[in-house]
Amino acid sequence: MSSLVYLIPLALLLGGAALGAFLWSLKSGQYDDMQGAAERILLDDE
């Protein structure tokens, strides 16, 4: 039971860090062009 005192705040901290990283990637434009990368591998560059 005493281990929950450490594990619950650690889980909340890691979840908050993951949420912060996701929001940062949204603001930096990571997900702006979802079709471009998928179609770029099909094009033949010379």
Side-chain angles (χ1 to χ4, degrees):
M1 194 66 167
S2 65
S3 64
L4 290 178
V5 173
Y6 298 110
L7 291 178
I8 291 175
L10 180 64
L12 291 174
L13 182 69
L14 289 175
L19 180 63
F22 175 70
L23 292 175
W24 172 77
S25 69
L26 282 178
K27 286 185 179 182
S28 68
Q30 185 75 19
Y31 302 107
D32 283 347
D33 187 17
M34 296 298 285
Q35 291 297 323
E39 293 171 359
R40 199 174 310 130
I41 63 169
L42 299 174
L43 299 176
D44 202 17
D45 292 337
E46 294 183 16

